[in-house]
């Protein structure tokens, strides 16, 4: 068999996993790209001003230091949670199809949006010892077939050269958070996470990863557990912010 004959099946398999079509509009794109230029341009960015701690957008101009309503009167255990994009329009659509529609290949454009957080001033010059994905409960992961945060964290780990570590596990099967307000979310999450057996995070500077940041309660609870285990700092990054 010629070399070309051997290579051909690999090319075909490769194209099944990485179709050179825009994930949103099916326009053709260059190999290795997942969105066409026009769809990329439509992804809504999180524009300043926003909260330095939780990235909540603040409407209007800021003339003095403002306190964020999302952060007020509670302790968020991460140093900062960073997203570059808003979960609106095509960003929201892709996140939804990725998570609930079994469209695993969408991890690629989502991981690109996630990786842009590393250019944010809050993360740019930091060193991280580990990238840790927010875990799913084992039963939820079986149901879905994958952990969306882990797939994104894996890709980011590869591009950023930071080791991936599944340090956390989710031990409570919490009901969906969407119907809850902020304090109910916090209560619902109590004791939902713990460090995996024999994992030692002492001295670690952690970059915690999730697909989307809503109120920050989940990320905060994960950060609390990591710090209780001895992590020095926990920054969080997500593909988008609600
Ligand atoms: Zn497109
Ligand atoms: Zn805030």
């Amino acid at each position: 068999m010629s070399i070309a004959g051997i290579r051909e099946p690999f090319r075909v398999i490769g194209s099944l996993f990485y179709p050179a079509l825009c994930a949103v509009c099916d326009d053709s794109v260059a190999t290795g790209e997942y969105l066409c230029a026009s769809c990329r341009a439509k992804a809504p960015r999180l524009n300043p001003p926003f909260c330095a701690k939780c990235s909540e957008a603040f409407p209007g101009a800021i003339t003095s230091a403002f306190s964020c309503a999302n952060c007020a009167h509670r302790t968020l255990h991460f140093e900062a949670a960073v997203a570059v994009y808003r979960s609106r329009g095509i960003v929201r659509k892709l996140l939804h199809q990725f998570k609930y529609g079994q469209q695993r290949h969408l991890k690629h454009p989502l991981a690109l949006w996630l990786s842009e957080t590393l250019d944010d001033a809050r993360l740019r010059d930091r060193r991280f010892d580990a990238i840790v994905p927010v875990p799913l409960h084992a039963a939820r992961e079986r149901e879905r077939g994958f952990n969306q945060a882990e797939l994104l964290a894996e890709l980011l780990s590869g591009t950023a050269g930071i080791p991936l570590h599944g340090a956390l596990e989710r031990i409570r099967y919490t009901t969906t958070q969407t119907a809850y307000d902020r304090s109910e979310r916090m209560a619902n999450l109590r004791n939902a996470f713990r460090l995996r057996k024999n994992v030692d995070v002492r001295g670690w500077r952690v970059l915690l990863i999730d697909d989307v940041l809503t109120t920050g309660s989940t990320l905060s609870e994960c950060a609390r557990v990591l710090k209780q285990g001895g992590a020095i700092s926990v920054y969080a990054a997500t593909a988008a912010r609600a």
Side-chain angles (χ1 to χ4, degrees), residues 109-238:
L110 291 168
L112 280 180
W113 290 333
L114 170 64
S115 69
E116 287 185 40
T117 59
L118 297 178
D119 296 326
D120 185 280
R122 290 165 288 175
L123 301 183
R124 202 164 35 218
D125 298 319
R126 292 189 191 284
R127 291 178 50 89
F128 295 104
D129 301 295
I131 283 182
V132 174
V134 169
L136 280 185
H137 189 276
R140 174 76 48 87
E141 191 165 336
R142 269 198 302 278
E143 199 177 279
R144 188 170 295 162
F146 61 93
N147 171 1
Q148 71 280 359
E150 193 182 314
L151 294 188
L152 298 178
E154 219 166 60
L155 288 174
L156 186 67
S157 164
T159 54
I162 303 166
L164 178 72
H165 203 300
L168 294 170
E169 63 182 341
R170 190 162 191 147
I171 50 175
R172 276 187 53 212
Y173 191 104
T174 50
T175 46
T176 180
Q177 293 274 82
T178 40
Y180 293 149
D181 71 17
R182 212 179 62 180
S183 59
E184 286 169 331
R185 278 172 188 242
M186 293 300 267
N188 190 39
L189 284 167
R190 201 160 308 284
N191 304 320
F193 302 97
R194 72 175 175 206
L195 285 179
R196 276 187 202 283
K197 221 180 194 162
N198 301 323
V199 168
D200 185 356
V201 299
R202 278 176 296 178
W204 284 16
R205 295 156 296 179
V206 174
L207 182 61
L208 183 64
I209 303 298
D210 207 354
D211 54 341
V212 65
L213 157 69
T214 307
T215 65
S217 300
T218 301
L219 293 167
S220 176
E221 188 54 20
C222 289
R224 192 185 65 75
V225 171
L226 287 162
K227 285 183 165 177
Q228 202 173 48
I232 298 172
S233 64
V234 179
Y235 283 83
T238 61

Side-chain angles (χ1 to χ4, degrees), residues 48-111:
F50 48 73
C51 173
K53 177 93 176 172
C54 79
S55 300
E56 170 92 324
F58 185 82
I62 290 182
T63 47
S64 58
F66 78 101
S67 66
C68 165
N70 183 50
C71 285
H73 313 298
R74 67 167 171 163
T75 307
L76 288 172
H77 296 277
F78 49 75
E79 324 317 309
V82 181
V84 173
Y85 292 91
R86 305 220 68 178
S87 180
R88 300 268 192 282
I90 75 158
V91 174
R92 191 185 161 93
K93 188 175 153 194
L94 257 63
L95 277 166
H96 201 268
Q97 287 176 350
F98 173 50
K99 203 156 149 180
Y100 304 111
Q102 292 296 325
Q103 310 253 339
R104 279 189 214 200
H105 67 279
L106 294 179
K107 69 181 181 179
H108 295 287
L110 291 168

